[in-house]
Amino acid sequence: LYLPLEDWHAVADTVAADGAGDDWVRIGGLKEFMDGSAGSRTAFFAEPYADSAGYRGLLRHSPAVMAHWIGAADSVHLQVAIHAIGDSANAIILGIYDSVATAHGPRDRRFRIEHAQHLRPRDIARFGELGVVASVQPIHLVDDGRWIQDRIGPERIKYTYPFRTMLDTHAVLAFGSDWPVATPDPIAGIAAAVTRQTSDGKNPDGWMPQQKITLDEALRAYTWGDSYANFTETHRGTLASGKWADITVLDQDLFALPPARIGTAHVAMTVVGGRIVYRRPGALLAHPRP
């Protein structure tokens, strides 16, 4: 659970008095919105929208207010996750994170930016440099790739969902779905990150294909990356002796499929804590070799 950033004091008191929760439900940290969305033209950009002369979007809060809240939350060791979509909103939050970390000193704080969809070229490497987790949703590019150029023009789209460049500059990617805004199906998200094909079928080789990532990288972002993003990588997120047996079994080997067919795989079985909690009727599972 990520609770409202402005309630940092009450959340800190609750955690101090009662703990953060348990392995099933717990308080992970605090969240706030810096801007809106590109679809509604409320994401905040450094330059005006290409289809709305002079209009750059909206900020939900002033940078000064956000800096105060983030600094206060960090002072009581609560993790902070901020929604930022436009390039200017992302730049502002990266700057605040940098300032707060510098003022408070080194600590494993794992600041997060939720979405990080549109970035100025010079800001992409700052995720890796500052240790800021990019909590991103590849499934959104399947839709956005159809219309976003009309909103922000041909230059800025080169730095939209820049997963390849982010990984190359040592950012941690944590993939998610943004459900209920988009489907929670991680297989669809994996396919989107690997192929970058749009829902209109007009980009069979991928929209902004230079930002494709590998299947290995997409799976890591959906597993280890998510666990790292909420400080649980020591006991979940990878298959290893001594870790929780949280396992998803698919009915096809993703590595044996052409990238364009990744989306045809389905979940056959889900195991949580070593216990089978879901088995798809009629699913065929190959027996492992001895």
Side-chain angles (χ1 to χ4, degrees):
L1 306 177
Y2 283 79
L3 303 173
L5 177 60
E6 62 187 285
D7 296 335
W8 66 270
H9 201 293
V11 175
D13 288 346
T14 297
V15 172
D18 303 319
D22 59 24
D23 290 337
W24 291 97
V25 180
R26 67 181 179 88
I27 295 171
L30 302 162
K31 182 185 176 183
E32 190 49 77
F33 290 78
M34 191 61 189
D35 65 349
S37 68
S40 63
R41 296 184 182 86
T42 51
F44 190 64
F45 285 89
E47 300 295 332
Y49 281 86
D51 58 358
S52 301
Y55 174 70
R56 299 168 53 203
L58 301 173
L59 288 179
R60 289 284 296 272
H61 303 285
S62 72
V65 167
M66 289 295 282
H68 170 72
W69 283 343
I70 292 171
D74 188 68
S75 71
V76 292
H77 289 203
L78 290 172
Q79 188 189 25
V80 176
I82 303 295
H83 165 119
I85 287 183
D87 57 14
S88 190
N90 276 278
I92 291 169
I93 296 303
L94 287 168
I96 293 172
Y97 282 165
D98 190 9
S99 296
V100 169
T102 299
H104 292 179
R107 182 169 67 81
D108 186 12
R109 45 181 49 88
R110 303 188 194 180
F111 282 143
R112 296 167 49 154
I113 290 184
E114 308 301 306
H115 309 304
Q117 287 180 7
H118 309 282
L119 301 171
R120 300 180 305 183
R122 61 184 179 275
D123 288 327
I124 297 175
R126 299 190 73 193
F127 283 82
E129 292 167 359
L130 300 176
V132 174
V133 176
S135 173
V136 294
Q137 300 76 32
I139 192 63
H140 284 323
L141 69 84
V142 171
D143 180 57
D144 289 11
R146 299 182 302 112
W147 51 263
I148 192 63
Q149 183 167 331
D150 292 338
R151 290 279 196 280
I152 63 174
E155 285 303 310
R156 282 182 288 186
I157 64 167
K158 297 176 182 177
Y159 311 104
T160 293
Y161 301 93
F163 302 148
R164 174 77 274 145
T165 307
M166 295 178 95
L167 285 178
D168 289 346
T169 53
H170 312 294
V172 171
L173 296 185
F175 278 174
S177 69
D178 206 23
W179 182 88
V181 176
T183 173
D185 181 7
I187 298 174
I190 291 166
V194 173
T195 69
R196 295 183 70 99
Q197 293 176 345
T198 51
S199 59
D200 58 7
K202 293 182 179 180
N203 295 276
D205 297 323
W207 175 69
M208 298 294 115
Q210 69 274 16
Q211 294 297 342
K212 290 180 183 179
I213 64 174
T214 69
L215 177 57
D216 264 329
E217 291 166 335
L219 288 168
R220 180 173 171 81
Y222 258 114
T223 52
W224 178 87
D226 284 348
S227 299
Y228 179 87
N230 55 53
F231 293 91
T232 60
E233 78 278 7
T234 59
H235 50 277
R236 58 184 288 267
T238 53
L239 298 177
S241 178
K243 289 192 173 185
W244 296 345
D246 292 353
I247 302 164
T248 300
V249 181
L250 305 182
D251 62 358
Q252 298 184 71
D253 178 359
L254 298 186
F255 291 93
L257 293 174
R261 288 187 54 78
I262 288 174
T264 66
H266 298 91
V267 173
M269 181 189 297
T270 305
V271 181
V272 179
R275 185 169 66 91
I276 297 173
V277 296
Y278 169 78
R279 189 194 298 268
R280 185 162 62 89
L284 297 177
L285 302 177
H287 293 287
R289 297 178 182 178

